[in-house]
Amino acid sequence: MRPTLAFVTDRFNYFNDKIFGGELKPLTIRLSPARSFMGQLRHSHRRNPDGSVTHYDYRLTISTFYDQTEAELEDTIIHEMIHYYLNHNGVRDTSAHGQHFRAMMNRINKEHGRHITISNRRESQQLSADCARHSYVLCVSTLPDGQRGITVCARTRIFYLYVKLPRLYGVKVMQWFLSRDTFFNKYPKSVTPKIYKITESELTEHLREAVPLICDGKKIRVKK
Ligand SMILES: [Zn+2]
């Protein structure tokens, strides 16, 4: 079946009551013809004066591209609801589908007879969409005056930025990272060369779990 807004909304409310104890606040629900994901949860966030972060404006999008059975669609909706639940409760997971996600998924599968996964073929599409969503390609630069800068690079513009950033800013050193830290949400994904100043301590804190990459202008890969 192809999902309708009425169906997704109805299922969201039903599972919210049945599985999540009614804890999930209503959110914006949308349909999309996207091929790149089955379901997607997005939200905005802002940093408060006291340093805490408020997450808000959650949007659940379900793709109409795939012809799924009703049960598969429901599993997709619940999958995204787990992301919503964890994020909304400030649970920092070990990865996009880390230990907290898996624990909750396994419990729901067991208690409610569901078949939510993160690893079968259908879900691997979802997983890669999630990874794309949750991870950032970062260029960390050292400027001529020694200050540090950051560029969150649009995936399609990495090699363009590789060439342009040094030319425009006289960058001395460029380091590349893959990060899932939500701190980087607040930076726009650059398609044109732009460097944002960042302090050394912010860098240290937020690159702690980043994966170093090697970029040579033609290829970018994980540093071994
Ligand atoms: Zn997911």
Side-chain angles (χ1 to χ4, degrees), residues 16-202:
N16 188 19
D17 275 350
K18 197 175 170 213
I19 299 177
F20 298 91
E23 282 186 55
L24 300 177
K25 294 192 186 129
L27 78 179
T28 306
I29 295 176
R30 293 181 185 143
L31 300 178
S32 155
R35 291 164 188 246
S36 58
F37 60 84
M38 325 262 316
Q40 190 179 58
L41 182 80
R42 286 175 177 268
H43 70 280
S44 307
H45 80 296
R46 65 172 168 264
R47 193 163 283 268
N48 303 313
D50 67 358
S52 65
V53 176
T54 301
H55 299 260
Y56 65 102
D57 190 20
Y58 285 88
R59 286 97 67 191
L60 168 66
T61 308
I62 297 294
S63 174
T64 53
F65 183 79
Y66 299 92
D67 196 5
Q68 305 179 73
T69 65
E70 184 167 328
E72 285 170 340
L73 251 172
E74 289 179 342
D75 286 343
T76 296
I77 293 166
I78 301 168
H79 177 115
E80 297 308 321
M81 290 174 82
I82 298 174
H83 282 305
Y84 185 29
Y85 181 90
L86 293 176
N87 196 292
H88 195 64
N89 284 289
V91 177
R92 291 194 69 156
D93 215 338
T94 47
S95 65
H97 301 104
Q99 61 187 49
H100 294 288
F101 188 97
R102 283 159 200 256
M104 195 156 187
M105 179 184 81
N106 292 336
R107 183 177 59 73
I108 291 170
N109 281 341
K110 205 170 154 202
E111 290 177 7
H112 298 274
R114 306 298 324 182
H115 299 90
I116 310 157
T117 65
I118 54 172
S119 60
N120 69 29
R121 197 176 59 81
R122 187 170 64 87
E123 286 289 337
S124 67
Q125 283 169 315
Q126 187 157 9
L127 180 60
S128 64
D130 275 344
C131 286
R133 172 158 60 87
H134 287 305
S135 65
Y136 303 97
V137 174
L138 309 175
C139 177
V140 176
S141 42
T142 306
L143 297 163
D145 61 3
Q147 283 207 70
R148 307 275 271 163
I150 187 148
T151 307
V152 177
C153 302
R155 298 278 172 134
T156 54
R157 304 292 272 186
I158 292 169
F159 304 127
Y160 173 77
L161 295 171
Y162 177 91
V163 173
K164 290 288 178 182
L165 286 173
R167 281 195 197 156
L168 220 75
Y169 288 87
V171 171
K172 290 229 158 48
V173 182
M174 285 195 286
Q175 296 164 290
W176 298 82
F177 296 93
L178 192 66
S179 168
R180 287 190 176 158
D181 194 317
T182 51
F183 171 78
F184 298 108
N185 279 346
K186 65 181 180 184
Y187 296 95
K189 282 206 174 114
S190 294
V191 293
T192 56
K194 182 103 181 78
I195 291 179
Y196 298 86
K197 299 272 172 69
I198 185 167
T199 65
E200 203 67 49
S201 63
E202 279 180 310

